[in-house]
Amino acid sequence: LPPEVRLFGGCTVRKSFHCRECASSRSYEYLLPASALGGMGVAEFDAVLSTFEGSHKVHNFCSGLRGKGWGCWEHDGESWPLALDPSRRQGAAFAYRSVLFCGVHRSVVLRGQEHLVLRIAGVSFMLHQIRHMIGTALAIAHGLVPRDTLALALRSPLQVDISPLAPGAGLLLDEIRWFDLGKRAEDLAFPPSAHAAAEAFKEASLYPHIAERLASEESLERFLGRMRDSFGGAKHYSAADYARLRRVNAGLAEATLPGHFLDT
């Protein structure tokens, strides 16, 4: 095999095993230069990321989940666009995803610069969900999106556009778990030596390669520039818009529609 390709282990599985359909959880990593946080500290950035943990509606943080034709929710003469049907909890089950962990895992020094290894683990993810999550956290770090709006966008069926799409170059699939609920045991598992070898390979090959791509392609710098232009300009929400969003969402939370599914 070429040096860029490594095989760390293998095992025998049952005939009906399907590596994608039988996966019980997936863990991803995102390599991010610490300088990309703007003026926010690492601990605070980690706290922002942890907001994504738990089971939430993710229609505001992925591609392809928003419904059409739901109109706007009106409250006290104000309104805000809806992305999901606000009257049916069961009908919105497709919009929920469970994130088991989201935060700063550790830091590494690459090309003489500190990089953060972000770790995101969940049962399953929607298209571009993790990149939108990272983009949202960066928008908050740069003061372009109020921090409380993140929790609101995860709970509400309203359409809240606060999640720019972070570059894909920093993202990697780190681990897949196959836990059989019927047997209450791992369907397959690799020995600690395989995991240790994989970690060593990431340190020696993958992280330097990702850091080199981020630097040479300047994809992160271009993303941050576009984010500042889009979210910091008049085309995006103003302070008055965010205040209206909070008021309309509060009215939605107080609604007494049967089967109302606004999370509390």
Side-chain angles (χ1 to χ4, degrees):
L1 293 175
E4 297 83 5
V5 179
R6 286 289 183 271
L7 178 64
F8 301 109
C11 61
T12 302
V13 298
R14 53 188 167 84
K15 187 176 180 180
S16 61
F17 179 81
H18 190 290
C19 62
R20 182 172 66 86
E21 298 295 336
C22 295
S24 57
S25 66
R26 300 160 176 84
S27 297
Y28 291 81
E29 290 184 349
Y30 195 95
L31 192 66
L32 183 72
S35 59
L37 301 189
M40 180 174 282
V42 174
E44 187 176 0
F45 188 69
D46 178 65
V48 171
L49 289 170
S50 69
T51 308
F52 287 104
E53 295 178 356
S55 295
H56 303 289
K57 292 185 286 290
V58 298
H59 59 283
N60 287 313
F61 305 95
C62 66
S63 302
L65 274 185
R66 290 178 174 178
K68 297 181 180 179
W70 298 122
C72 297
W73 185 269
E74 297 188 1
H75 174 70
D76 286 346
E78 298 179 313
S79 64
W80 197 274
L82 285 161
L84 300 173
D85 183 353
S87 64
R88 297 179 58 198
R89 184 180 185 92
Q90 295 301 321
F94 68 91
Y96 280 83
R97 290 296 183 275
S98 295
V99 175
L100 306 176
F101 178 84
C102 185
V104 178
H105 179 52
R106 61 194 179 102
S107 65
V108 294
V109 177
L110 300 163
R111 297 172 56 87
Q113 182 181 9
E114 181 185 11
H115 286 67
L116 305 178
V117 179
L118 313 182
R119 190 169 182 82
I120 307 96
V123 177
S124 64
F125 295 93
M126 289 297 299
L127 179 64
H128 296 156
Q129 181 183 338
I130 294 176
R131 292 171 61 191
H132 278 295
M133 290 164 58
I134 302 301
T136 303
L138 287 172
I140 293 173
H142 285 257
L144 302 174
V145 170
R147 183 170 172 176
D148 68 304
T149 311
L150 169 55
L152 185 157
L154 285 167
R155 297 193 304 266
S156 175
L158 297 174
Q159 177 176 321
V160 186
D161 296 320
I162 58 169
S163 58
L165 185 64
L171 182 65
L172 66 93
L173 174 61
D174 182 58
E175 182 181 17
I176 302 176
R177 302 289 296 273
W178 294 275
F179 186 84
D180 190 316
L181 291 175
K183 298 178 181 177
R184 295 184 177 274
E186 296 284 350
D187 214 345
L188 65 88
F190 294 101
S193 59
H195 289 283
E199 287 295 320
F201 178 66
K202 283 194 301 183
E203 293 274 358
S205 299
L206 292 185
Y207 290 163
H209 172 72
I210 293 173
E212 178 65 30
R213 281 195 60 188
L214 288 172
S216 62
E217 297 175 3
E218 298 183 345
S219 56
L220 185 60
E221 286 75 9
R222 291 198 303 271
F223 162 76
L224 293 174
R226 291 194 303 269
M227 181 182 71
R228 286 188 289 265
D229 291 340
S230 299
F231 282 72
K235 293 182 179 180
H236 202 64
Y237 304 141
S238 64
D241 290 327
Y242 282 116
R244 175 167 55 90
L245 169 62
R246 296 183 186 100
R247 291 191 296 270
V248 172
N249 187 67
L252 181 55
E254 295 170 0
T256 56
L257 291 174
H260 191 276
F261 66 61
L262 186 70
D263 296 339
T264 57

